[in-house]
Coordinates of all heavy atoms in Angstrom, one line a residue:
G14 N 9.0 -15.7 -1.1 CA 8.4 -16.6 -2.1 C 7.5 -16.0 -3.0 O 7.4 -16.4 -4.2
L15 N 6.7 -15.0 -2.5 CA 5.7 -14.3 -3.4 C 6.3 -13.0 -4.0 O 6.2 -12.8 -5.2 CB 4.5 -14.0 -2.6 CG 3.5 -15.2 -2.4 CD1 4.0 -16.3 -1.6 CD2 2.2 -14.7 -1.8
G16 N 6.9 -12.2 -3.2 CA 7.4 -10.9 -3.6 C 8.6 -10.9 -4.6 O 8.7 -10.0 -5.4
L17 N 9.4 -11.9 -4.4 CA 10.6 -12.0 -5.3 C 10.4 -12.9 -6.5 O 11.3 -13.1 -7.3 CB 11.8 -12.5 -4.5 CG 12.3 -11.6 -3.4 CD1 13.5 -12.3 -2.7 CD2 12.8 -10.3 -4.0
A18 N 9.2 -13.5 -6.6 CA 8.8 -14.3 -7.8 C 8.8 -13.5 -9.0 O 8.3 -12.3 -9.0 CB 7.5 -15.0 -7.5
G19 N 9.3 -14.0 -10.1 CA 9.3 -13.3 -11.4 C 7.9 -12.8 -11.8 O 7.7 -11.7 -12.3
L20 N 6.9 -13.6 -11.5 CA 5.5 -13.3 -11.8 C 5.1 -12.0 -11.1 O 4.5 -11.1 -11.7 CB 4.6 -14.4 -11.4 CG 3.2 -14.5 -12.0 CD1 3.3 -14.8 -13.5 CD2 2.4 -15.6 -11.3
S21 N 5.5 -11.9 -9.8 CA 5.1 -10.7 -9.0 C 5.9 -9.5 -9.5 O 5.3 -8.4 -9.6 CB 5.3 -11.0 -7.6 OG 4.6 -12.1 -7.1
V22 N 7.2 -9.6 -9.7 CA 8.0 -8.4 -10.1 C 7.5 -7.9 -11.4 O 7.4 -6.7 -11.7 CB 9.5 -8.8 -10.1 CG1 10.3 -7.6 -10.5 CG2 9.9 -9.3 -8.7
D23 N 7.3 -8.8 -12.4 CA 6.8 -8.4 -13.7 C 5.5 -7.7 -13.6 O 5.2 -6.7 -14.3 CB 6.6 -9.7 -14.6 CG 7.9 -10.3 -15.0 OD1 9.0 -9.7 -14.8 OD2 7.9 -11.4 -15.6
W24 N 4.6 -8.2 -12.7 CA 3.3 -7.5 -12.5 C 3.5 -6.1 -12.0 O 2.8 -5.1 -12.5 CB 2.4 -8.3 -11.6 CG 1.0 -7.7 -11.3 CD1 -0.1 -7.9 -12.0 CD2 0.7 -6.6 -10.4 NE1 -1.1 -7.1 -11.6 CE2 -0.7 -6.3 -10.6 CE3 1.4 -6.0 -9.4 CZ2 -1.3 -5.4 -9.8 CZ3 0.8 -5.0 -8.7 CH2 -0.6 -4.7 -8.8
M25 N 4.4 -5.9 -11.0 CA 4.6 -4.6 -10.5 C 5.1 -3.6 -11.5 O 4.5 -2.5 -11.6 CB 5.7 -4.6 -9.4 CG 5.3 -5.4 -8.1 SD 6.7 -5.5 -7.0 CE 6.3 -7.0 -6.0
F26 N 6.0 -4.0 -12.3 CA 6.6 -3.0 -13.3 C 5.6 -2.9 -14.6 O 5.8 -1.9 -15.3 CB 8.0 -3.5 -13.8 CG 9.0 -3.1 -12.7 CD1 9.4 -4.0 -11.7 CD2 9.7 -1.9 -12.8 CE1 10.3 -3.7 -10.8 CE2 10.6 -1.6 -11.8 CZ 11.0 -2.5 -10.8
A27 N 4.7 -3.8 -14.7 CA 3.8 -3.7 -15.8 C 2.6 -2.8 -15.4 O 2.0 -2.1 -16.3 CB 3.2 -5.0 -16.2
H28 N 2.2 -2.8 -14.2 CA 1.0 -2.1 -13.7 C 1.2 -0.8 -12.9 O 0.3 0.0 -12.7 CB 0.1 -3.0 -13.0 CG -0.5 -4.1 -13.8 ND1 0.2 -5.3 -14.0 CD2 -1.6 -4.2 -14.5 CE1 -0.5 -6.1 -14.8 NE2 -1.6 -5.5 -15.1
L29 N 2.4 -0.7 -12.3 CA 2.7 0.5 -11.5 C 3.6 1.4 -12.3 O 4.8 1.1 -12.5 CB 3.3 0.1 -10.2 CG 2.5 -0.9 -9.3 CD1 3.3 -1.3 -8.1 CD2 1.2 -0.3 -8.9
Q30 N 3.0 2.5 -12.7 CA 3.8 3.5 -13.5 C 3.8 4.9 -12.8 O 2.8 5.2 -12.1 CB 3.2 3.6 -14.9 CG 3.3 2.3 -15.7 CD 4.7 1.9 -16.0 OE1 5.6 2.8 -16.2 NE2 5.0 0.6 -16.0
P31 N 4.9 5.6 -13.0 CA 6.0 5.3 -13.8 C 6.9 4.3 -13.1 O 6.6 3.8 -12.0 CB 6.8 6.7 -13.8 CG 6.3 7.4 -12.6 CD 4.9 7.0 -12.4
V32 N 8.0 4.0 -13.8 CA 8.9 2.9 -13.3 C 9.4 3.2 -11.9 O 9.5 2.2 -11.1 CB 10.1 2.8 -14.3 CG1 11.1 1.8 -13.7 CG2 9.6 2.3 -15.6
L33 N 9.6 4.4 -11.5 CA 10.1 4.7 -10.2 C 9.1 4.3 -9.1 O 9.5 3.8 -8.1 CB 10.3 6.3 -10.0 CG 10.8 6.8 -8.7 CD1 12.1 6.1 -8.3 CD2 10.9 8.3 -8.7
V34 N 7.8 4.4 -9.4 CA 6.8 3.9 -8.5 C 6.9 2.4 -8.2 O 6.8 1.9 -7.1 CB 5.4 4.3 -8.9 CG1 4.3 3.7 -8.0 CG2 5.2 5.8 -9.0
A35 N 7.1 1.7 -9.3 CA 7.2 0.2 -9.2 C 8.4 -0.1 -8.5 O 8.4 -1.0 -7.6 CB 7.2 -0.4 -10.6
Y36 N 9.5 0.6 -8.7 CA 10.8 0.3 -8.0 C 10.6 0.5 -6.5 O 11.0 -0.3 -5.7 CB 11.9 1.2 -8.6 CG 13.2 1.1 -7.8 CD1 14.1 0.1 -7.9 CD2 13.5 2.2 -6.9 CE1 15.2 0.0 -7.2 CE2 14.7 2.1 -6.1 CZ 15.5 1.1 -6.3 OH 16.7 1.0 -5.5
L37 N 10.1 1.7 -6.2 CA 9.9 2.0 -4.7 C 8.9 1.0 -4.1 O 9.1 0.7 -2.9 CB 9.4 3.4 -4.6 CG 10.4 4.5 -5.0 CD1 9.8 5.9 -4.9 CD2 11.7 4.4 -4.1
F38 N 7.9 0.6 -4.8 CA 6.9 -0.4 -4.2 C 7.7 -1.7 -4.0 O 7.5 -2.3 -2.9 CB 5.8 -0.6 -5.2 CG 4.7 -1.5 -4.7 CD1 3.7 -1.0 -3.9 CD2 4.7 -2.9 -5.0 CE1 2.7 -1.9 -3.5 CE2 3.8 -3.7 -4.5 CZ 2.7 -3.2 -3.7
F39 N 8.5 -2.1 -4.9 CA 9.3 -3.4 -4.7 C 10.2 -3.3 -3.5 O 10.3 -4.2 -2.7 CB 10.0 -3.7 -6.0 CG 10.9 -4.9 -5.9 CD1 10.4 -6.1 -5.9 CD2 12.3 -4.7 -5.9 CE1 11.2 -7.3 -5.8 CE2 13.1 -5.8 -5.9 CZ 12.6 -7.1 -5.8
I40 N 10.9 -2.1 -3.5 CA 11.9 -2.0 -2.4 C 11.2 -1.8 -1.0 O 11.5 -2.5 0.0 CB 12.8 -0.7 -2.6 CG1 13.6 -1.0 -3.9 CG2 13.7 -0.5 -1.4 CD1 14.5 -2.1 -3.8
G41 N 10.2 -1.0 -1.0 CA 9.5 -0.6 0.3 C 8.5 -1.7 0.7 O 8.2 -1.8 1.9
G42 N 8.0 -2.5 -0.3 CA 6.9 -3.5 0.1 C 7.5 -4.9 0.2 O 6.8 -5.8 0.8
V43 N 8.6 -5.2 -0.4 CA 9.1 -6.5 -0.3 C 10.5 -6.6 0.3 O 10.7 -7.2 1.3 CB 9.2 -7.1 -1.8 CG1 9.8 -8.5 -1.8 CG2 7.8 -7.2 -2.4
L44 N 11.5 -5.9 -0.3 CA 12.9 -6.1 0.2 C 13.2 -5.6 1.5 O 13.7 -6.2 2.4 CB 13.8 -5.5 -0.9 CG 15.3 -5.8 -0.6 CD1 15.6 -7.3 -0.7 CD2 16.2 -5.0 -1.6
C45 N 12.8 -4.3 1.8 CA 13.0 -3.7 3.1 C 12.3 -4.4 4.2 O 12.9 -4.6 5.3 CB 12.7 -2.2 3.0 SG 13.9 -1.3 2.1
P46 N 11.0 -4.7 4.1 CA 10.4 -5.5 5.2 C 11.0 -6.8 5.5 O 11.2 -7.2 6.7 CB 8.9 -5.7 4.7 CG 8.7 -4.5 3.8 CD 10.0 -4.3 3.1
L47 N 11.5 -7.5 4.4 CA 12.2 -8.8 4.6 C 13.5 -8.5 5.4 O 13.8 -9.3 6.4 CB 12.4 -9.4 3.3 CG 12.9 -10.8 3.2 CD1 12.5 -11.5 1.9 CD2 14.4 -10.9 3.3
A48 N 14.3 -7.5 5.0 CA 15.5 -7.2 5.7 C 15.3 -6.8 7.1 O 16.0 -7.2 8.1 CB 16.3 -6.2 4.9
W49 N 14.2 -6.0 7.4 CA 13.9 -5.5 8.7 C 13.6 -6.7 9.6 O 14.0 -6.8 10.8 CB 12.8 -4.5 8.6 CG 12.3 -4.0 10.0 CD1 13.0 -3.1 10.8 CD2 11.1 -4.4 10.7 NE1 12.3 -2.9 12.0 CE2 11.2 -3.7 11.9 CE3 10.1 -5.3 10.4 CZ2 10.1 -3.8 12.9 CZ3 9.1 -5.4 11.4 CH2 9.1 -4.7 12.6
L50 N 12.8 -7.6 9.2 CA 12.4 -8.8 9.9 C 13.6 -9.7 10.3 O 13.7 -10.1 11.4 CB 11.3 -9.6 9.2 CG 9.9 -8.9 9.1 CD1 9.0 -9.7 8.1 CD2 9.2 -8.9 10.5
L51 N 14.4 -10.0 9.3 CA 15.5 -10.9 9.5 C 16.6 -10.2 10.3 O 17.4 -10.9 11.0 CB 16.0 -11.4 8.2 CG 15.1 -12.3 7.4 CD1 15.7 -12.7 6.1 CD2 14.7 -13.5 8.2
G52 N 16.7 -8.9 10.2 CA 17.7 -8.1 11.0 C 17.5 -8.3 12.5 O 18.4 -8.1 13.3
Q53 N 16.3 -8.6 12.9 CA 16.0 -8.7 14.3 C 16.5 -10.0 14.9 O 16.7 -10.2 16.2 CB 14.5 -8.7 14.6 CG 13.8 -7.4 14.1 CD 12.3 -7.5 14.3 OE1 11.8 -8.1 15.1 NE2 11.6 -6.8 13.4

């Protein structure tokens, strides 16, 4: 609800530079933890 919201993703890519850092933050901080929790 928070990490996949457009507001949050826009903030990540606007403030975390370079783009690779924002991408890894999004993957490592939102998508992967969500998948890990639901995979259990």
